[in-house]
């Protein structure tokens, strides 16, 4: 009887957990998209065309603060739900790495566009 009750508890808990993971994933993806879109809006500005690459990199690093933070929080939350036994610091590092990748990608595109225009 105890095994039956335990099985029922597990069976009812997994759909809830699956919904929670799915919702957290959607939130993280939405946060990522909002951050990337914000960075993409910074890229084509006329005032950036003659800017040195390092200066543009600093501009991008400071841009989109609220979108960046929303993405970080959503991604850390998703990672915590997906792997609850993983260290919280590792999840934050993963989120920060994703943010750094987005910034590096935009700066790389900027540098390539600038080199191609010469």
């Amino acid at each position: 009887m105890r095994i039956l009750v335990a099985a029922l508890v597990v069976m009812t808990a997994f759909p809830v957990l699956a919904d929670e993971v799915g919702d957290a994933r959607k939130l993280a993806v939405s946060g990522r998209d909002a951050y990337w879109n914000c960075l993409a809006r910074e890229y084509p500005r006329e005032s950036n065309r003659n800017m040195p690459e390092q200066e543009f990199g600093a501009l991008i690093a400071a841009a989109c603060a609220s979108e960046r933070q929303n993405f970080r929080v959503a991604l850390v939350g998703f990672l915590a739900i997906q792997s609850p036994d993983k260290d919280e610091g590792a999840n934050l590092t993963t989120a920060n790495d994703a943010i750094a990748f987005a910034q590096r990608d935009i700066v790389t595109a900027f540098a390539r566009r600038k080199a191609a225009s010469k």
Side-chain angles (χ1 to χ4, degrees), residues 35-36 39-40 43 53-54 56-63 68 71 93-113:
Y35 184 54
W36 277 80
L39 290 178
Y43 175 80
E53 185 179 336
Q54 292 81 7
F56 181 74
L59 174 84
I60 288 298
R68 180 177 57 242
F71 175 41
T93 299
T94 300
N96 287 336
D97 288 346
I99 289 166
F101 174 77
Q103 292 172 357
R104 209 171 28 250
D105 194 45
I106 294 291
V107 172
T108 299
F110 175 83
R112 286 182 182 158
R113 181 184 73 177

Side-chain angles (χ1 to χ4, degrees), residues 80-94:
I81 291 170
Q82 186 182 33
S83 302
D85 56 330
K86 196 171 181 183
D87 178 34
E88 193 174 308
N91 291 340
L92 183 59
T93 299
T94 300

Side-chain angles (χ1 to χ4, degrees), residues 49-53 110-118:
R49 289 196 191 265
N50 296 323
M51 192 177 283
E53 185 179 336
F110 175 83
R112 286 182 182 158
R113 181 184 73 177
K114 193 169 183 174
S117 69
K118 287 184 179 181

